[in-house]
Amino acid sequence: MAKNTAAAGAARRHRASVAARTLAGTLGAYGLTVQVTVVLSFLLARAGMERAEAVTAATLASFAIFAGISMAAFHASSAGRAWFWLVMTAAPLALLAWGPGPVR
């Protein structure tokens, strides 16, 4: 009986880990990609690119950025590390997006 209980607990932990990693690889990666795209478009506009072109270039780059972030989330050794990495990367990007603002 104890063996079945231990196996059931291990299976629940595995499913929770997969669910957390899936959320990190999808929703977390999307949120971080949005932050990177905003900051990248601001930086490109400040570098002299037209605003519309900067937004288009950052948006096109966001597809590759999302794929890289998602793969990194699934490559992390645990779901907790993936979420930690996502949050610690998004925090400074949020400050950068808030700070410079769009080019007028």
Side-chain angles (χ1 to χ4, degrees):
M1 183 75 172
K3 186 177 182 181
N4 289 338
T5 305
R12 275 193 299 274
R13 282 190 301 278
H14 177 71
R15 283 193 296 273
S17 175
V18 169
R21 195 179 296 264
T22 301
L23 287 173
T26 55
L27 298 179
Y30 178 77
L32 185 58
T33 301
V34 168
Q35 291 288 344
V36 171
T37 304
V38 167
V39 171
L40 182 60
S41 67
F42 286 166
L43 293 175
L44 290 173
R46 289 214 180 265
M49 191 179 280
E50 292 292 324
R51 285 176 65 182
E53 291 174 356
V55 171
T56 302
T59 302
L60 287 173
S62 73
F63 292 101
I65 293 167
F66 177 82
I69 293 170
S70 184
M71 286 187 283
F74 282 103
H75 183 70
S77 60
S78 69
R81 284 183 187 238
W83 277 108
F84 177 78
W85 179 80
L86 287 169
V87 169
M88 294 310 289
T89 307
L93 287 173
L95 290 174
L96 283 173
W98 178 68
V103 176
R104 307 244 182 248

